[in-house]
Amino acid sequence: MNKFLITLLIPFCGYAVTAQVKRKAVVKKTVTTAVAVKPKTLLDSASYAFGTSMASSLKNDGVKNLNYDLLVKGLKDAFAGQTPLLTQEASQKAIGNLFKSLSQQKFGPAIAEGKAFLESNKTKPGVQTTASGIQYLVLTQGTGIKPKATDTVLVNYKGTLLNGKQFDSSYDRNEPLSLSLDRVIPGWTEGMQLMPVGSKYRFFIPYQLAYGERGAGQDIPPYSTLIFEIELLKVNGK
């Protein structure tokens, strides 16, 4: 390559390198940094505290996340006196259905266990099933009168969970119980009207007709299918 050609190429190469450097320098990365929000006033602190308190309570009840945009909109609409997107009845229903769904997910195994037990139990000899789903087995058939739903009765009984754990018994207290049939669980109200005085029945009660999705205290978990042995001693009338 002659000297003239080399002389021409040197400044051209320098220009190309310079152009590439300049072109690269034009590209800039935009870095966004989160701005820390800190409470500065009493209202700021209280507002944040309301949020954390509400979230902690909801988390304890099984709520893992919410639609935060609609949550904030609900707060703003309520404070501003705007017409809400949902009526009070619809709001209560939505909240109730959410918690019911979460509860059913949590206690799914108990629901499945109860359903499987009743499906199997209804095929056993002597077990009868009512239209509502209560199952019962006659241990002793009495000959007295049958109570009505508004009657007060005197009974002996014991109640157990499906695993055999006993949660209550009048026999252990050696004291029959007097109760009104319109103030007990639906399974008792319906079932005891089948019993003549002097009878002893064993009832298998699905959770819907027992203590439902809430259970009862520490001894009866939510969605528990229950077994009761009930002896009807006397009908006292209304």
Side-chain angles (χ1 to χ4, degrees):
M1 185 178 296
N2 58 45
K3 294 182 179 180
F4 177 75
L5 187 58
I6 292 173
T7 304
L8 288 176
L9 284 175
I10 290 174
F12 177 78
C13 293
Y15 173 80
V17 172
T18 304
Q20 288 182 9
V21 172
K22 289 182 178 179
R23 198 175 297 121
K24 288 182 180 180
V26 172
V27 180
K28 295 182 179 180
K29 293 183 179 180
T30 303
V31 180
T32 56
T33 56
V35 179
V37 179
K38 295 182 179 180
K40 298 179 180 179
T41 66
L42 174 59
L43 181 60
D44 291 346
S45 298
S47 298
Y48 185 77
F50 279 130
T52 56
S53 177
M54 184 190 306
S56 297
S57 178
L58 291 172
K59 282 184 68 176
N60 289 336
D61 290 332
V63 179
K64 295 181 179 180
N65 56 65
L66 292 170
N67 185 320
Y68 303 113
D69 291 337
L70 285 174
L71 174 65
V72 172
K73 178 172 175 55
L75 290 169
K76 289 182 176 179
D77 286 352
F79 277 113
Q82 298 290 332
T83 301
L85 300 179
L86 299 175
T87 64
Q88 184 175 0
E89 181 181 358
S91 296
Q92 292 175 346
K93 185 177 181 180
I95 293 172
N97 286 340
L98 174 63
F99 283 117
K100 183 176 181 179
S101 174
L102 294 171
S103 180
Q104 287 178 340
Q105 291 175 27
K106 180 179 179 179
F107 293 99
I111 297 173
E113 180 188 23
K115 184 177 181 180
F117 172 85
L118 292 171
E119 283 294 320
S120 173
N121 191 62
K122 70 181 182 182
T123 64
K124 294 181 178 179
V127 174
Q128 303 181 60
T129 305
T130 69
S132 68
I134 295 173
Q135 298 176 4
Y136 65 96
L137 180 65
V138 178
L139 303 178
T140 303
Q141 184 68 14
T143 57
I145 63 172
K146 294 180 179 180
K148 298 181 178 64
T150 55
D151 284 340
T152 298
V153 297
L154 185 68
V155 299
N156 264 322
Y157 71 96
K158 71 173 181 179
T160 60
L161 304 176
L162 292 184
N163 61 10
K165 180 182 178 181
Q166 179 177 293
F167 55 81
D168 196 8
S169 173
S170 66
Y171 294 104
D172 290 352
R173 296 190 296 270
N174 196 28
E175 182 180 0
L177 178 67
S178 179
L179 53 87
S180 178
L181 288 185
D182 59 0
R183 296 186 179 182
V184 291
I185 60 174
W188 273 53
T189 303
E190 178 186 346
M192 292 198 64
Q193 292 181 75
L194 304 171
M195 301 177 66
V197 171
S199 297
K200 185 176 183 179
Y201 285 15
R202 180 177 295 139
F203 290 99
F204 309 91
I205 303 178
Y207 76 85
Q208 300 95 326
L209 300 172
Y211 293 98
E213 60 196 51
R214 294 183 178 276
Q218 297 181 345
D219 295 324
I220 303 177
Y223 299 98
S224 292
T225 294
L226 303 178
I227 302 174
F228 286 98
E229 286 189 9
I230 304 176
E231 185 180 1
L232 180 55
L233 304 175
K234 184 180 179 181
V235 175
N236 297 321
K238 293 183 181 180

